Amino acid sequence: MTTPEDPGVFVQISRPGGPVEDDIWTKTPAEEGFKKPEDGQKTPAKGPKKRRRLHPAWAVAAVAFLALVGAAGFRAAPGVLMVPLQQEFGWSTTVLSAAVSINLVLFGLTAPFAAALMERFGIRAVTAVALGLIGAGSALTVLVNQSWQILLTWGLLIGLGTGSMALVFAATIANTWFTKSRGLVIGILTAGSAAGQLVFLPFIAMLAQDPGWRQASLLIAAGALAVVPLVLKFLKNSPADVGALPYGAEEPSGAPSAAVPEAAEPRRNAAVRALLVLRSASKNRTFWALAAGFAICGATTNGLIGTHFIPSAHDHGMPETTAAGLLAVVGIFDILGTIASGWLTDRFNPRILLAVYYQFRGIGLLVLPLLLGSSVQPSMIVFVVIYGLDWVATVPPTAAICRQVFGADGSVVFGWVFAAHQLGAAAAALAAGAIRDATGHYTYAWFGAAAMCTIAAVISATIRKDAGRRKPAAVAAASVD
């Protein structure tokens, strides 16, 4: 036992996960201004404490936002590069749509396994590898001269990379680092994808015209790889790594720290965990309602607008750079809409928000064929603004329902729901390309998408009001049967 007579005693302040001996939490009494303990006293008297001005969760969120921006560069590329590739190689719209479809399928199916891999190997390692795959796939695109090669670069490599950096990444960051304001954080991180399109799209469009699409591909590769050093240095895996609690959490008295992982799940096989969670979630009707709605969400965003808006506008005589500029405006308002949706999700019933979002999107798609022309009319600006606000506003309420219903498995369940999102996107991208080749226009694709949005609105509205009242522990236990 230490005594007041010990002149060199160090006082360790108890923090989550046990004492952390670093330059923040462990100080001498003289350095921190503590009074020496009385004889037999185990803790020092209260005195001035060195406090963090900013919770480390926000620094992690900032790096995660930049990573999502870097990973999002390719999301804008297919619509811009499709016409130049057709002009150079003579490939059909269906062939290029197939490459995008492979990308979107892998983008979705990789997500739940990526969530489990992040639990097993850490967020930082998985994110760095994902960005490397995106950079490699985009850079290697400049060497293609056969149609199967574009399936390999656009489809396989970039699909695996973007799938590991999908929106499940945002949900994992929010669920790991935040107890308070999760919806807002998911909204901000999801907006990173929109910011990526906003940053890259105008430059990709200009480079695709002069000097060419190869330089545009290299720009995407550079954007993804530039974020890797930041990820390796600043993206921490969990609050326990820095001796902190999640933002908004309070350390319970006499209970294990909230900064310690909830269970020993990180040591389990990632693929097995992902499949077990799917088996458990598939028994819940809320899972299927979310998956169906999100499949339609993917079909009407990445699948149709993201892939075919620029070619469709080009069919009506609109310059590609002008159409790309309109999508960039969608990206601007997507940032605002997604952050606002996160704020609303923290305060209102998420199922009602989903129903409203889908129905407004359907109305926009229904009138889109009437708005397309060789020049930009005010009505098109209104469409772009509304569609931008609604683009991925569905993500925060969907992730919130996953967390409410499935508890600790929420991030992996959201990964499977997101897989449905991308399967819907892949099907829509391929179908719209086939419709364009068969009819010479995209009109039927837009009308079909509008009808699907109405279906998604009805499905979302029928999710049980008490879905979020189920005990997460019961779901978590079922996932390891």
Side-chain angles (χ1 to χ4, degrees):
M1 182 181 71
T2 60
T3 66
E5 287 75 25
D6 294 332
V9 66
F10 278 70
V11 177
Q12 293 185 336
I13 304 172
S14 177
R15 291 293 176 186
V20 180
E21 297 189 8
D22 59 19
D23 61 346
I24 296 177
W25 299 121
T26 304
K27 300 294 181 182
T28 64
E31 289 172 319
E32 289 288 45
F34 284 102
K35 296 180 180 179
K36 293 184 178 181
E38 299 294 336
D39 189 23
Q41 192 175 357
K42 294 183 178 180
T43 57
K46 292 184 179 180
K49 295 181 181 180
K50 187 173 182 179
R51 297 180 180 274
R52 299 178 188 267
R53 292 185 177 181
L54 181 68
H55 193 283
W58 293 110
V60 170
V63 176
F65 182 91
L66 293 176
L68 285 165
V69 170
F74 181 79
R75 299 265 59 84
V80 175
L81 302 184
M82 195 173 287
V83 173
L85 285 167
Q86 286 177 317
Q87 292 173 344
E88 179 169 338
F89 298 107
W91 297 334
S92 68
T93 304
T94 302
V95 168
L96 294 172
S97 296
V100 176
S101 294
I102 293 173
N103 173 280
L104 294 173
V105 168
L106 290 176
F107 187 25
L109 292 181
T110 304
F113 297 97
L117 285 170
M118 287 177 186
E119 294 179 355
R120 173 65 177 83
F121 297 104
I123 298 172
R124 176 169 48 194
V126 175
T127 303
V129 171
L131 290 168
L133 286 173
I134 296 170
S138 188
L140 290 173
T141 300
V142 304
L143 304 176
V144 304
N145 51 36
Q146 300 291 329
S147 60
W148 67 267
Q149 294 169 339
I150 203 72
L151 301 180
L152 179 64
T153 56
W154 277 20
L156 181 61
L157 291 178
I158 299 179
L160 290 173
T162 54
S164 300
M165 283 294 299
L167 298 181
V168 69
F169 171 66
T172 301
I173 292 290
N175 290 339
T176 301
W177 280 90
F178 291 84
T179 297
K180 180 182 178 183
S181 303
R182 277 199 186 113
L184 177 62
V185 172
I186 292 176
I188 293 173
L189 294 182
T190 302
S193 295
Q197 293 186 17
L198 173 64
V199 170
F200 288 102
L201 186 54
F203 296 103
I204 293 173
M206 288 188 292
L207 290 175
Q209 287 195 340
D210 184 19
W213 62 269
R214 289 177 176 82
Q215 285 73 18
S217 296
L218 292 175
L219 173 66
I220 297 168
L225 295 176
V227 189
V228 174
L230 294 176
V231 168
L232 293 175
K233 184 170 179 61
F234 297 110
L235 188 62
K236 306 299 182 182
N237 292 322
S238 71
D241 288 352
V242 294
L245 288 164
Y247 177 76
E250 295 182 0
E251 186 174 2
S253 177
S257 171
V260 178
E262 297 178 4
E265 293 292 355
R267 308 314 304 172
R268 299 180 57 200
N269 182 281
V272 172
R273 168 156 166 70
L275 293 173
L276 286 175
V277 170
L278 174 62
R279 185 183 71 173
S280 175
S282 64
K283 300 175 184 178
N284 191 316
R285 60 177 293 184
T286 299
F287 170 78
W288 293 109
L290 293 173
F294 232 39
I296 294 172
C297 177
T300 53
T301 52
N302 300 103
L304 283 175
I305 296 293
T307 304
H308 293 287
F309 178 80
I310 293 177
S312 180
H314 181 75
D315 287 344
H316 288 79
M318 184 180 293
E320 293 172 47
T321 51
T322 302
L326 290 175
L327 281 186
V329 175
V330 169
I332 294 174
F333 284 94
D334 182 20
I335 296 173
L336 300 176
T338 308
I339 294 175
S341 177
W343 184 86
L344 291 170
T345 300
D346 288 331
R347 291 161 175 80
F348 299 100
N349 191 326
R351 71 184 185 91
I352 300 301
L353 294 176
L354 285 176
V356 172
Y357 295 157
Y358 285 131
Q359 192 56 66
F360 269 100
R361 186 180 301 177
I363 294 171
L365 288 168
L366 186 64
V367 301
L368 178 59
L370 305 176
L371 307 180
L372 290 168
S374 58
S375 60
V376 178
Q377 301 298 323
S379 55
M380 174 59 77
I381 299 298
V382 174
F383 168 83
V384 166
V385 171
I386 293 176
Y387 214 84
L389 292 172
D390 200 0
W391 181 262
V392 286
T394 54
V395 172
T398 301
I401 294 174
C402 287
R403 180 72 185 186
Q404 291 168 4
V405 178
F406 300 101
D409 292 332
S411 294
V412 180
V413 172
F414 181 70
W416 285 112
V417 173
F418 183 74
H421 181 282
Q422 295 310 115
L423 290 175
L430 185 60
I435 290 172
R436 167 63 177 79
D437 287 341
T439 65
H441 55 77
Y442 287 96
T443 302
Y444 295 136
W446 304 132
F447 287 162
M452 289 192 297
C453 284
T454 298
I455 295 173
V458 173
I459 291 173
S460 299
T462 58
I463 295 175
R464 295 199 318 271
K465 294 181 180 180
D466 61 343
R469 298 177 187 172
R470 295 187 57 183
K471 294 182 180 180
V475 180
S479 68
V480 294
D481 288 343

